[in-house]
Amino acid sequence: MDPIRAALDAETGQVEPHGEAITRRLSDMKGYYLDSAAEARLVDEANPVLYEVFPLDVPEEEGHVLCGTTVIHPGKVGTEYFMTKGHFHENDRSAEVYHTLRGLGYLLIETGDGRAEHCEMKPGSVCYIPPGWAHRTVNVGQGPLVFFYAMPGDAGHDYGSIELRGGFREVVVEESGLPVVQPSGGRQ
Ligand code: M6P
Ligand code: ZN
């Protein structure tokens, strides 16, 4: 293949040119939020776009580096902030790195044996997610959370293991106007 030259707008998160973009609405994440009544209401009212991914057009193969931007829009479902689905890598020898360009958020990470940690995301912060750690990002700011990601071409996305575990060990909710990371009590 030929080299790729692309332009990344750190304000909007747009990457041009890009490969097939992903757009996830609330209806694509049934059961992921704590407050299922608030979730159902919001799906009926507006079914908002929660986040978008703009990848470079790179083959999903060993030796390549999958990379691009993710834009998580601001908002909440009940008291819980908009977030990504979250996943392990199918290939558990694959790491990933996130570089925050705009906004405020948290990266929740955890291992298969239940060790949970989180990283603050703000412009300039970099978090390296080692192999074997599941990861989910949460936007706690007023505007979009924009970050650049890079991972091995053959990493793959495993969403099923998170569902089987009953979700992530930590959630991020608003309490008295402020974001708080707290134990989830075991759900998606
Ligand atoms: C990041 C990367 C992507 C991922 C996206 C959305 O940009 O980790 O690989 O697809 O976040 O996260 P998820 O796939 O968990 O919805
Ligand atoms: Zn990943």
Side-chain angles (χ1 to χ4, degrees):
M1 68 178 273
D2 293 326
I4 298 173
R5 297 169 179 83
L8 189 169
D9 182 329
E11 280 298 297
T12 63
Q14 289 289 329
V15 175
E16 292 297 342
H18 61 77
E20 198 176 336
I22 298 170
T23 300
R24 286 216 222 278
R25 292 184 176 274
L26 184 55
S27 57
D28 300 318
M29 291 183 63
K30 194 163 168 40
Y32 276 72
Y33 286 90
L34 219 45
D35 184 342
S36 48
E39 180 194 306
R41 218 165 32 241
L42 196 52
V43 167
D44 281 349
E45 281 166 8
N47 194 19
V49 172
L50 305 185
Y51 60 99
E52 297 164 275
V53 183
F54 301 101
L56 259 65
D57 193 7
V58 170
E60 296 190 18
E61 292 167 10
E62 187 183 355
H64 285 279
V65 177
L66 299 181
C67 57
T69 55
T70 299
V71 180
I72 308 180
H73 298 288
K76 288 184 303 242
V77 178
T79 59
E80 200 175 4
Y81 297 92
F82 286 180
M83 62 188 183
T84 60
K85 290 177 89 167
H87 57 269
F88 283 97
H89 289 156
E90 275 168 16
N91 177 345
D92 62 9
R93 298 176 63 193
S94 301
E96 186 157 355
V97 63
Y98 285 176
H99 177 202
T100 307
L101 302 172
R102 176 181 176 186
L104 290 175
Y106 284 100
L107 167 61
L108 307 180
I109 56 175
E110 64 184 52
T111 61
D113 58 12
R115 187 171 157 207
E117 294 199 14
H118 53 267
C119 310
E120 271 186 65
M121 298 176 78
K122 59 186 180 187
S125 59
V126 172
C127 185
Y128 182 81
I129 305 159
W133 289 71
H135 37 289
R136 162 181 284 167
T137 40
V138 185
N139 182 357
V140 303
Q142 307 288 321
L145 174 65
V146 180
F147 63 93
F148 185 80
Y149 67 90
M151 64 180 155
D154 60 345
H157 292 76
D158 166 15
Y159 299 102
S161 298
I162 295 291
E163 287 169 19
L164 283 175
R165 288 154 63 79
F168 275 73
R169 297 286 178 270
E170 293 184 320
V171 288
V172 190
V173 295
E174 187 186 68
E175 272 184 17
S176 311
L178 291 175
V180 180
V181 183
Q182 61 186 34
S184 64
R187 35 111 267 174
Q188 285 180 13

